[in-house]
Amino acid sequence: MKPKKNKPIRLIPGIIIALLLILIRFVMPVVIPNTTEIGIMLSFLALPAVIIWWVFFSRVPVIERLTAIILMIVTLFISSNLLHESIKTGMQGMMYFLLAPPFLCLAFIVWAVVSRNFKIKIRYLTMILTIIIASGIWTLYRSNGITGEAGVDLVWRWSETAEEKFLEQSGSNYMTVSEPVSTYVEWPGFRGINRDSKIEGIRIGTDWESTPPVELWRKSIGPACSSFSVWGNLIFTQEQHGEDEIVSCYNLQTGEPVWQHSDEARFWDSHAGAGPRGTPTISKGLIYSLGATGILNVLNAVDGDQVWSNNVAEDTKTELPGWGFASSPLV
């Protein structure tokens, strides 16, 4: 009797899965705005689809089917324990499991197509390498944060962070400002005077093709999710400098630092990175700021001298939220 030959691998279902995955994950967000998050969620379905195809419809030997599936599960599990913290904790701990499986599926399908005529030993070797590389390559990355549409800013794990670059270049030369130019507070805190993001009675020319805006100055500051409040020629914000949380004041006309108040505190999460989450509030010549760990400061707006400071998390026995304290004081 002649030895029974294995049937050729059935590739069409896998190719269809790959095409649908590319359309949903990469093409749809480009063609249809604001669908990145939907694409990420739907693309996760590629993994069970590939498993069903490979186990029940691929026609490869049973040992090859089981080896591939077991190896996928093992490498995904091992890699998940070797990730950078920003990827391990991103998207509430789901970032790796939303990003890696679709990439693994594409790599696996490409391998199946390319290796269909390889000798059995070469097929096994290339299959093992493909799965290990596709699952493990994520351990070489870190996330710099997540966009509003769930896009992830991935960089090499060992690359210098923007904060590290800033700390290397930052100096401590402060200019002296005795009083703000205006006694009127133009923008006292988060979203403005009425917290509605509006300034009444001002018209802005919007034909930027004929009269484009002119950049007056540009300056790097520490990481944070804090916007600015404005009083005359002074602007105020919060930022992170290494292990210190900073309330800072800059000159509106030049961008030069006027004063900084420092507290030994640091908050970080995988979505927005390090730094405070709230915008300082100006009221009657004082600055009110709430840091990400719960430090509430009241400072003199002109020179930064501290009036008083309390840790509201400790005072109220409140546990630090997963997002940090992200409030802007209301006076």
Side-chain angles (χ1 to χ4, degrees):
M1 293 178 61
K2 291 183 179 180
K4 186 178 179 181
K5 285 188 176 183
N6 291 324
K7 294 181 179 179
I9 182 172
R10 183 183 282 124
L11 293 172
I12 297 300
I15 293 172
I16 292 173
I17 293 170
L19 292 175
L20 288 174
L21 177 56
I22 292 170
L23 286 172
I24 292 170
R25 179 63 182 85
F26 301 106
V27 177
M28 184 176 71
V30 175
V31 177
I32 307 174
N34 304 318
T35 56
T36 300
E37 187 173 359
I38 297 173
I40 290 174
M41 296 298 181
L42 290 178
S43 64
F44 180 77
L45 298 176
L47 183 59
V50 165
I51 291 174
I52 292 171
W53 158 60
W54 190 250
V55 171
F56 297 105
F57 302 106
S58 65
R59 296 194 301 205
V60 298
V62 173
I63 187 65
E64 190 172 347
R65 303 181 201 186
L66 296 178
T67 299
I69 302 306
I70 292 172
L71 191 58
M72 285 182 184
I73 295 171
V74 170
T75 54
L76 285 171
F77 174 77
I78 293 175
S79 297
S80 69
N81 289 283
L82 300 175
L83 299 169
H84 187 270
E85 187 180 4
S86 61
I87 294 180
K88 183 182 293 186
T89 60
M91 297 178 176
Q92 297 181 311
M94 291 300 297
M95 180 184 289
Y96 176 70
F97 297 102
L98 288 173
L99 298 182
F103 181 79
L104 171 59
C105 290
L106 279 178
F108 185 77
I109 294 168
V110 170
W111 162 81
V113 173
V114 172
S115 67
R116 64 189 184 279
N117 295 321
F118 287 1
K119 293 181 179 179
I120 187 65
K121 289 184 178 180
I122 301 298
R123 275 181 58 82
Y124 269 95
L125 178 61
T126 53
M127 178 182 71
I128 292 169
L129 289 175
T130 298
I131 294 174
I132 290 175
I133 292 172
S135 300
I137 194 171
W138 301 92
T139 63
L140 304 179
Y141 289 101
R142 74 163 190 272
S143 166
N144 276 341
I146 301 172
T147 70
E149 294 183 11
V152 183
D153 179 16
L154 293 176
V155 295
W156 293 117
R157 187 172 186 161
W158 54 84
S159 62
E160 198 173 27
T161 67
E163 183 182 5
E164 289 169 341
K165 294 177 182 177
F166 164 74
L167 291 174
E168 289 174 0
Q169 299 169 1
S170 61
S172 56
N173 298 319
Y174 301 107
M175 64 184 297
T176 301
V177 175
S178 56
E179 290 291 341
V181 172
S182 170
T183 57
Y184 173 70
V185 180
E186 290 87 346
W187 197 259
F190 181 62
R191 298 188 67 196
I193 295 174
N194 299 313
R195 294 206 167 191
D196 58 1
S197 301
K198 294 180 181 179
I199 300 179
E200 302 294 340
I202 293 178
R203 295 183 63 85
I204 298 175
T206 56
D207 186 2
W208 285 4
E209 290 187 4
S210 60
T211 56
V214 178
E215 182 178 293
L216 299 179
W217 54 266
R218 179 185 295 259
K219 185 178 185 64
S220 296
I221 65 172
C225 294
S226 175
S227 59
F228 283 83
S229 49
V230 183
W231 181 21
N233 60 339
L234 300 179
I235 57 176
F236 308 89
T237 190
Q238 294 192 94
E239 49 191 287
Q240 191 74 36
H241 291 190
E243 298 305 314
D244 293 327
E245 200 171 60
I246 304 293
V247 183
S248 52
C249 173
Y250 294 91
N251 184 283
L252 176 62
Q253 305 301 321
T254 65
E256 293 300 317
V258 177
W259 56 257
Q260 289 183 340
H261 171 83
S262 175
D263 291 297
E264 189 175 344
R266 180 179 177 86
F267 179 81
W268 176 94
D269 71 24
S270 60
H271 297 79
R277 269 69 176 126
T279 301
T281 300
I282 310 167
S283 179
K284 298 180 181 179
L286 298 178
I287 289 292
Y288 297 79
S289 65
L290 181 64
T293 63
I295 298 174
L296 178 63
N297 284 311
V298 180
L299 312 170
N300 187 296
V302 174
D303 54 23
D305 286 349
Q306 186 178 84
V307 179
W308 56 262
S309 179
N310 277 0
N311 190 311
V312 298
E314 295 176 0
D315 291 346
T316 58
K317 297 180 174 56
T318 301
E319 185 178 347
L320 179 65
W323 310 104
F325 290 101
S327 298
S328 300
L330 178 65
V331 181

